[in-house]
């Protein structure tokens, strides 16, 4: 079977179901990455800006109706402190992540941080993952200096999406899809991603997720295994879940297949993958990922940003984290690219093609 970017749906399903072998799949993904973007590993410092959310996704620990933990928003001054420190250590890309909120104070807060970064940290790519927002808000963020937006579709099959979101008019698949399309059409470096291993999800669903990302021609992807959370409605269906090992291997196959389908995009070895397996970082990179996201959220907030249970909380200082990351990447022959924002080559090529170069 030919492992090229023209992989058919049938071939994708074959590999997802272990028709492999996996070693061949992972090797082909690494070759595709090496050929297109090289073996560098890009760092994206993540700040979990606020755990407030207006939504109630059935799988997420931060859902509005979960009242079992404290809600927070990190003040701008504290965010600036961690960004400065990350910058001083060589980070050139930062992700501001929060639940979805439309209030003016939240939007102003993000805009203020972005403006500070633009005025003070040279050569930084700011990434936002703050949910479905109106076009005019995104425009404000762009003007304030953000470049990249990550909006996970979570499940690209509408029926599956519907099964994991309340039917209350706030969680419409069509709205999410239009939001993602609007982000891409308005010139952002665009990322999406899906949950892998949801109850009732099939190989066909996952193959369609990969083909959706190819069709959308995205620039970045963050996808990870579904990890259950006790304080969510989906916890009741945990008996239907596959073993963690199976979810892990499925995630690695998804990373490899996406790398083969879209060789020049950025793909993250997600925290969820690293939560599932202490060697998730190495395994994700060996399967074709090229982005790692050290957590810069001040320690006192981290325990309250639990999208899923058991999330890894690294207590090392940033210096130690970067040293460990460098060593771990080095062991598998990969080099951490400091002082490089790591813009996806896919985006650069897309812009050139658009300009008719
Ligand atoms: S997945 Fe995102 S939008 Fe949904 S409840 Fe969690 S934080 Fe909110």
């Amino acid at each position: 079977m030919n492992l090229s970017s023209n992989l058919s749906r049938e071939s994708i399903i074959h590999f997802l179901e272990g028709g492999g072998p996996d070693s061949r799949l992972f090797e082909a993904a690494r070759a595709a990455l090496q050929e297109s973007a090289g073996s560098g590993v890009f760092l994206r410092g993540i700040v979990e800006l606020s755990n407030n959310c207006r939504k109630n996704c059935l799988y997420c620990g931060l859902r509005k109706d979960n009242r079992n933990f404290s809600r927070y928003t990190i003040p701008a001054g504290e965010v600036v402190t961690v960004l400065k420190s990350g910058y001083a250590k060589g980070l050139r890309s930062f992700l501001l992540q929060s639940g979805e909120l439309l209030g003016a104070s939240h939007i102003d807060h993000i805009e203020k941080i972005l403006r500070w970064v633009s005025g003070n940290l040279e050569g930084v790519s700011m990434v936002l993952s703050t949910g479905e927002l109106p076009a005019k808000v995104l425009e404000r963020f762009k003007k304030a200096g953000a470049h990249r937006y990550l909006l996970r579709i979570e499940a690209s099959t509408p029926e599956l999406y519907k099964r994991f979101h309340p039917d209350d008019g706030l969680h419409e698949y069509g709205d999410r899809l239009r939001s993602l399309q609007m982000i891409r059409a308005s010139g952002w470096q665009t990322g999406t991603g899906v949950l892998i291993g949801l109850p009732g999800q099939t190989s066909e669903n996952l193959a369609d997720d990969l083909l959706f990302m190819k069709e959308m021609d995205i620039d970045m992807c963050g996808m990870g295994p579904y990890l259950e959370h006790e304080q969510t409605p989906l916890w009741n269906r945990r008996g239907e879940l596959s073993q963690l090992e199976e979810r892990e291997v499925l995630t690695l196959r998804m990373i490899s297949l996406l790398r083969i389908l879209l060789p020049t995009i950025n793909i993250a070895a997600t925290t969820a993958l690293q939560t599932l397996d202490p060697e998730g970082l190495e395994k994700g990179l060996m399967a074709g990922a090229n982005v790692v996201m050290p957590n810069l959220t001040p320690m006192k907030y981290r325990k309250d940003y639990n999208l899923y249970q058991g999330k890894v909380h690294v207590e090392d200082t940033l210096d130690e984290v970067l040293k460990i990351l460098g060593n771990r990447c080095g062991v598998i022959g990969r080099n951490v690219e400091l002082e490089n924002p790591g813009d996806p080559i896919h985006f650069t090529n897309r812009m050139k093609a658009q300009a008719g170069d």
Side-chain angles (χ1 to χ4, degrees):
M1 198 171 293
N2 185 17
L3 276 164
S4 72
S5 59
N6 294 323
L7 269 176
S8 67
R9 186 171 185 265
E10 290 65 35
S11 307
I12 294 172
I13 294 169
H14 172 80
F15 277 103
L16 285 174
E17 293 183 344
D22 287 335
S23 55
R24 183 171 162 236
L25 180 64
F26 298 162
E27 206 178 305
R30 284 198 299 278
L33 175 64
Q34 180 67 40
E35 219 170 274
S36 59
S39 62
V41 175
F42 301 108
L43 300 183
R44 188 190 296 151
I46 176 168
V47 181
E48 293 154 337
L49 186 63
S50 172
N51 64 359
N52 288 289
C53 187
R54 70 189 191 113
K55 285 194 167 168
N56 256 318
C57 305
L58 302 184
Y59 45 82
C60 175
L62 299 190
R63 62 199 309 274
K64 187 176 170 219
D65 288 352
N66 184 5
R67 308 204 193 285
N68 297 299
F69 65 104
S70 308
R71 301 281 176 173
Y72 71 81
T73 295
I74 310 178
E78 288 183 53
V79 176
V80 161
T81 302
V82 296
L83 295 182
K84 265 190 196 165
S85 150
Y87 190 84
K89 312 267 185 266
L91 299 190
R92 293 295 180 269
S93 177
F94 299 101
L95 166 66
L96 300 181
Q97 191 176 54
S98 76
E100 185 175 300
L101 294 169
L102 302 182
S105 61
H106 180 68
I107 305 299
D108 291 348
H109 185 52
I110 295 174
E111 190 179 29
K112 185 175 166 190
I113 295 167
L114 293 173
R115 288 204 184 284
W116 182 86
V117 172
S118 295
N120 293 279
L121 304 181
E122 212 188 314
V124 160
S125 269
M126 289 303 286
V127 195
L128 295 175
S129 179
T130 52
E132 294 164 44
L133 298 176
K136 56 178 188 289
V137 170
L138 290 172
E139 204 41 46
R140 274 175 63 185
F141 289 165
K142 187 119 72 75
K143 282 196 183 129
H147 304 84
R148 305 182 187 164
Y149 207 93
L150 186 61
L151 182 73
R152 287 173 38 144
I153 194 77
E154 306 293 6
S156 69
T157 309
E159 303 76 54
L160 200 64
Y161 185 91
K162 215 173 166 173
R163 250 184 268 160
F164 301 114
H165 295 89
D167 185 13
D168 60 359
L170 252 193
H171 301 74
E172 296 297 324
Y173 176 83
D175 291 341
R176 196 151 190 94
L177 179 61
R178 276 186 291 279
S179 193
L180 186 59
Q181 287 166 334
M182 180 263 288
I183 290 164
R184 190 180 177 284
S186 46
W188 291 81
Q189 296 177 21
T190 306
T192 192
V194 292
L195 284 163
I196 299 164
L198 286 162
Q201 188 181 41
T202 62
S203 315
E204 285 78 8
N205 294 143
L206 289 170
D208 289 339
D209 287 340
L210 291 169
L211 292 170
F212 169 87
M213 290 190 255
K214 183 168 166 75
E215 172 78 22
M216 283 285 301
D217 200 24
I218 56 157
D219 305 302
M220 314 176 291
C221 177
M223 60 182 166
Y226 164 63
L227 298 176
E228 58 273 35
H229 191 301
E230 199 172 354
Q231 294 152 2
T232 63
L234 211 54
W235 178 255
N236 295 334
R237 293 185 61 186
R238 65 192 181 286
E240 296 169 49
L241 294 171
S242 58
Q243 296 296 312
L244 288 175
E245 296 72 25
E246 285 174 54
R247 276 179 263 169
E248 179 180 18
V249 82
L250 207 47
T251 302
L252 297 174
R253 286 174 189 155
M254 286 287 284
I255 290 175
S256 283
L257 287 161
L258 186 62
R259 173 59 68 202
I260 290 162
L261 288 167
L262 289 167
T264 54
I265 68 169
N266 281 353
I267 303 179
T270 59
T271 313
L273 181 60
Q274 296 178 55
T275 295
L276 202 151
D277 181 344
E279 289 177 17
L281 172 80
E282 287 84 350
K283 289 183 182 173
L285 293 174
M286 293 294 279
N290 66 335
V291 171
V292 177
M293 296 185 287
N295 195 343
L296 304 185
T297 309
M299 215 53 84
K300 63 184 173 190
Y301 300 108
R302 289 194 198 180
K303 68 174 175 19
D304 290 320
Y305 205 89
N306 276 335
L307 301 162
Y308 47 82
Q309 232 149 349
K311 188 170 160 217
V312 278
H313 292 297
V314 179
E315 304 232 340
D316 300 327
T317 63
L318 184 57
D319 271 326
E320 288 162 345
V321 167
L322 294 181
K323 192 168 167 223
I324 293 166
L325 266 178
N327 289 341
R328 289 176 68 178
C329 291
V331 167
I332 56 167
R334 304 284 287 275
N335 184 39
V336 172
E337 301 268 342
L338 287 173
E339 302 193 4
N340 185 340
D343 287 327
I345 294 171
H346 189 267
F347 178 77
T348 316
N349 292 347
R350 189 154 78 76
M351 289 300 105
K352 276 190 195 154
Q354 219 164 295
D357 280 8

